[in-house]
Amino acid sequence: MDWEEGSVPWGDGRDDLSRRDVLKRSFGAVAFVCSFDLATQARPAKRTAAAIRAQAGSPFQPFRAELQVPPTLLPERRTRSLERYVLDMREGTAEVLHGMQTPVLGYDGLFPGPTIRARRGVKTEIRQVNAAGRALNVHLHGGVTRPDSDGHPHDFIPPGDSRTYHYDNVQHAATLWYHDHAHGETSQTLFAGLAGFYLLSDDLESGLELPQDEYDVPLMIQDRSFNADGSFRYVLDLDRGFRGDTLLVNGQVAPRMRVEQRLYRLRFLNASNARAYKLRLGNGRPMLQIGSDGGLLPKPIARTEIPMEPAERVDVLVDFSDFGRGSKLVLQNVGGEASTTAVMRFDVVRGGAEEARVPKRLQPAAKLPPVNAERTFPLTFHGLGSARWEISERVFGMDRVDVRPRRGTTELWTFVNNSTRMHPMHLHGYHFRVVSTNGRFPHPADRGWKDTVAVHPNQSVTVRPYFDYFGGRYVFHCHAAEHGDMSMMGQMEVVA
Ligand code: C2O
Ligand code: CU
Ligand code: CU
């Protein structure tokens, strides 16, 4: 379902309502607008989810489920310069809670979707078949992608149709992910399960002898709530964004993972609608961060706490040979509420032959062309009449271009957060360096290539995007899915 600027269904022009009232009213309206609502498919049940949670040995008990790693998708055809894949976007079920089936919307019906492994210099083609009964499109998040394959909100795949996305894989190795970008409905489709990893490698990365195969583990962190029959329960909160009471890693409730006494590469992705995390190993032992959104950092950085806003990726190395056999290390979410403090657990099971090592240097920082323009984007909540989130006092306009950067240049973009919520601001098609946060240097781990940056209340964050590679129309937006949907998104056209 599409809605356009000005046609937001609950905007009645009245301006004498408190924000609280407006938000309350918008709940009902949104439930009506979003035709796809897994909660409504739930059978009425006698026991509440809270009652199930309280039970000992309940499916919500952390560290009960074994970590699952999403399957790697096999190409349908492969040549030296091209790999061809097919994916079906459709309904399926997943055993998220032990012994229960949760209806999901997934790539090949899976939650999370299968992992695509791509290599720099080898193109990828993915035919996406829309068997989901609703308009969808696919965005490769963090991908340097031509505009017509980027999943722009004006491109969608009608139900029953398919579309082939072309990825040139011109950029450096990075942890990317693909997800739905249906206009105004991403909070629903992402929540329903449409997300998967896209791991891009290159020669530089391979030369570093980092942990590989089963020692290179993608970990998708999300929060969900449930109905008593095991179905996902979505409650709209346009202000904060969705907050679930249960943490999932790769679709399992706070799972445990058996690890050998050796070095691992863990690739964290925050694929939650709106929840931020602060990751900490139980014993406060530092993790070595080697990569962020756009790929490898210049050198590893030891961190005891790693904040992750929606859509951000963090690659770390953890050496489990530092721990005795039988050690159990909890990965915590510092500052989470009671049921969202435990993310997962690592159970050290036996010695592993050590082949991987920690490189001293990773990837040199690229030189940037000079700054060609400076822009400021105030971020605000508009609570009167019709509740909405705005960039530069505008909601998204499909046919309006907000900025026209020149291809081959860099610019300075300053996001000024004048609201009470955090906004993970994201650019399609390009990467940026974080220049400063409230005038100060960013954390060293945030000085590599990024595509999403946290802008906290009262913060002003300056980033320096580099408009390299392709030109054309792309969007930039807040990645708190509810904010992006309503309608914290702008459009840029990168011109020659
Ligand atoms: Cu994950 Cu428009 O983004
Ligand atoms: Cu993106
Ligand atoms: Cu936001």
Side-chain angles (χ1 to χ4, degrees):
M1 176 175 306
D2 263 10
W3 66 56
E4 310 216 294
E5 199 186 347
S7 71
V8 180
W10 54 87
D12 60 1
R14 281 165 61 189
D15 58 6
D16 56 348
L17 287 162
S18 71
R19 175 163 118 185
R20 205 193 151 87
D21 284 337
V22 170
L23 287 175
K24 230 189 277 166
R25 290 190 317 130
S26 56
F27 281 26
V30 166
F32 158 73
V33 168
C34 301
S35 50
F36 182 80
D37 183 0
L38 286 169
T40 61
Q41 299 172 3
R43 277 174 285 114
K46 289 188 200 89
R47 292 187 310 162
T48 64
I52 295 173
R53 179 182 296 282
Q55 247 176 269
S58 85
F60 295 103
Q61 196 183 311
F63 321 132
R64 186 176 183 208
E66 205 78 52
L67 179 84
Q68 309 284 322
V69 177
T72 298
L73 191 65
L74 295 175
E76 198 194 44
R77 252 197 82 195
R78 155 187 277 160
T79 68
R80 243 189 297 167
S81 56
L82 178 73
E83 292 181 343
R84 269 208 189 121
Y85 295 92
V86 183
L87 276 174
D88 275 354
M89 301 183 277
R90 58 177 163 85
E91 288 176 13
T93 55
E95 189 173 332
V96 178
L97 302 176
H98 181 76
M100 291 180 158
Q101 293 298 319
T102 300
V104 299
L105 197 54
Y107 297 99
D108 281 352
L110 299 176
F111 171 67
T115 298
I116 293 161
R117 291 183 178 266
R119 184 135 192 115
R120 189 180 191 203
V122 180
K123 292 183 182 176
T124 307
E125 250 181 48
I126 307 178
R127 192 160 73 88
Q128 294 277 4
V129 182
N130 183 355
R134 64 194 329 250
L136 296 170
N137 72 9
V138 184
H139 170 57
L140 179 60
H141 183 120
V144 174
T145 305
R146 290 174 201 276
D148 54 0
S149 279
D150 185 56
H152 188 284
H154 63 218
D155 283 327
F156 59 89
I157 314 170
D161 230 327
S162 75
R163 182 186 174 117
T164 301
Y165 290 84
H166 303 264
Y167 303 123
D168 294 86
N169 298 324
V170 288
Q171 67 200 96
H172 283 285
T175 301
L176 311 179
W177 62 299
Y178 62 102
H179 63 80
D180 178 67
H181 220 291
H183 183 43
E185 298 183 359
T186 304
S187 57
Q188 303 294 308
T189 57
L190 177 61
F191 184 81
L194 285 170
F197 279 99
Y198 185 106
L199 307 180
L200 180 63
S201 65
D202 67 3
D203 291 348
L204 188 143
E205 185 194 57
S206 307
L208 294 171
E209 293 169 35
L210 296 167
Q212 285 180 17
D213 305 321
E214 71 260 48
Y215 306 111
D216 173 8
V217 190
L219 299 166
M220 184 185 290
I221 306 176
Q222 295 172 307
D223 60 339
R224 292 290 185 273
S225 294
F226 295 87
N227 296 302
D229 65 352
S231 57
F232 289 147
R233 174 196 189 80
Y234 182 81
V235 177
L236 181 81
D237 183 338
L238 178 60
D239 182 24
R240 298 197 318 157
F242 174 81
R243 302 294 159 101
D245 54 19
T246 304
L247 296 192
L248 309 182
V249 178
N250 293 348
Q252 300 290 305
V253 176
R256 55 168 200 256
M257 176 188 171
R258 287 171 210 278
V259 292
E260 297 169 24
Q261 291 170 300
R262 54 157 287 150
L263 194 66
Y264 276 75
R265 177 180 188 174
L266 307 175
R267 306 189 193 223
F268 295 111
L269 157 66
N270 180 355
S272 310
N273 278 31
R275 182 183 281 278
Y277 302 93
K278 200 177 271 177
L279 303 179
R280 183 179 200 271
L281 270 183
N283 59 352
R285 196 73 71 101
M287 298 178 267
L288 281 179
Q289 187 173 345
I290 57 167
S292 61
D293 302 342
L296 294 169
L297 298 170
K299 56 175 201 239
I301 291 164
R303 302 183 86 177
T304 49
E305 269 184 24
I306 304 183
M308 287 196 79
E309 310 300 335
E312 284 190 305
R313 285 88 69 210
V314 164
D315 278 27
V316 300
L317 296 179
V318 177
D319 193 348
F320 291 105
S321 69
D322 294 351
F323 305 99
R325 195 179 301 191
S327 312
K328 293 178 176 13
L329 287 147
V330 175
L331 183 73
Q332 296 168 276
N333 172 30
V334 180
E337 317 87 63
S339 64
T340 60
T341 51
V343 181
M344 64 181 291
R345 194 178 71 192
F346 300 100
D347 294 356
V348 183
V349 288
R350 62 188 155 84
E354 191 59 73
E355 286 131 39
R357 61 193 177 90
V358 179
K360 289 207 171 52
R361 306 252 153 240
L362 299 163
Q363 174 170 255
K367 290 238 179 342
L368 297 180
V371 171
N372 188 50
E374 294 187 28
R375 309 177 195 271
T376 301
F377 301 92
L379 309 174
T380 50
F381 182 78
H382 185 103
L384 299 175
S386 55
R388 56 185 188 254
W389 288 98
E390 297 177 333
I391 302 176
S392 304
E393 295 181 346
R394 290 159 143 186
V395 292
F396 181 55
M398 183 84 80
D399 301 316
R400 186 189 70 231
V401 173
D402 298 282
V403 292
R404 286 198 168 76
R406 285 207 168 279
R407 198 172 142 196
T409 68
T410 64
E411 297 191 354
L412 290 180
W413 287 23
T414 301
F415 298 109
V416 182
N417 189 343
N418 296 325
S419 77
T420 58
R421 299 295 173 210
M422 195 276 299
H423 304 291
M425 297 305 294
H426 167 56
L427 256 67
H428 281 214
Y430 308 95
H431 291 91
F432 52 75
R433 297 272 184 74
V434 184
V435 175
S436 64
T437 298
N438 281 354
R440 267 172 304 192
F441 278 123
H443 188 279
D446 287 331
R447 292 185 203 166
W449 287 119
K450 295 275 297 161
D451 57 53
T452 307
V453 67
V455 187
H456 292 275
N458 301 315
Q459 267 188 355
S460 185
V461 175
T462 301
V463 300
R464 185 171 168 189
Y466 180 15
F467 301 100
D468 52 355
Y469 295 107
F470 311 118
R473 283 197 190 188
Y474 297 91
V475 291
F476 57 98
H477 60 92
C478 174
H479 219 290
E482 287 75 9
H483 294 183
D485 282 353
M486 277 302 298
S487 195
M488 212 172 191
M489 191 171 311
Q491 186 162 210
M492 55 184 165
E493 180 165 17
V494 175
V495 295

